[in-house]
Amino acid sequence: MARDVEIREGTIRLGQLLKLADLIEAGSDAKTLIADGLVHVNGEVVHERGRQLHPGDVVRVGDDEVRLTTH
């Protein structure tokens, strides 16, 4: 089950979300995970670290899954 991660603005870049959600330790880790095809957004493999995400999007890295929400 996905855990909710709240963002302040309407969108966030994938690399930023991975760090915010503690799915990676450092921003540079995002590049490797994405290049290796280990990051999924809404069930699809993503290859762009700068992809814009919106509330309701679900991001999965391995067994960890988060859903974007706003307050």
Side-chain angles (χ1 to χ4, degrees):
M1 176 170 232
R3 66 182 164 91
D4 290 342
V5 174
E6 189 174 303
I7 58 174
R8 294 183 204 167
E9 311 222 355
T11 63
I12 188 171
R13 286 190 206 104
L14 178 58
Q16 293 172 316
L17 173 74
L18 294 174
K19 180 75 172 117
L20 175 69
D22 291 326
L23 296 173
I24 57 174
E25 289 186 26
S28 59
D29 296 338
K31 185 176 183 179
T32 303
L33 285 176
I34 292 168
D36 290 346
L38 301 175
V39 179
H40 296 78
V41 176
N42 300 326
E44 297 181 13
V45 175
V46 176
H47 299 286
E48 307 87 28
R49 183 172 53 171
R51 176 168 174 173
Q52 291 291 321
L53 303 174
H54 305 273
D57 284 344
V58 175
V59 176
R60 181 172 52 87
V61 177
D63 293 333
D64 294 319
E65 193 171 77
V66 297
R67 179 180 46 243
L68 271 66
T69 63
T70 58
H71 55 271

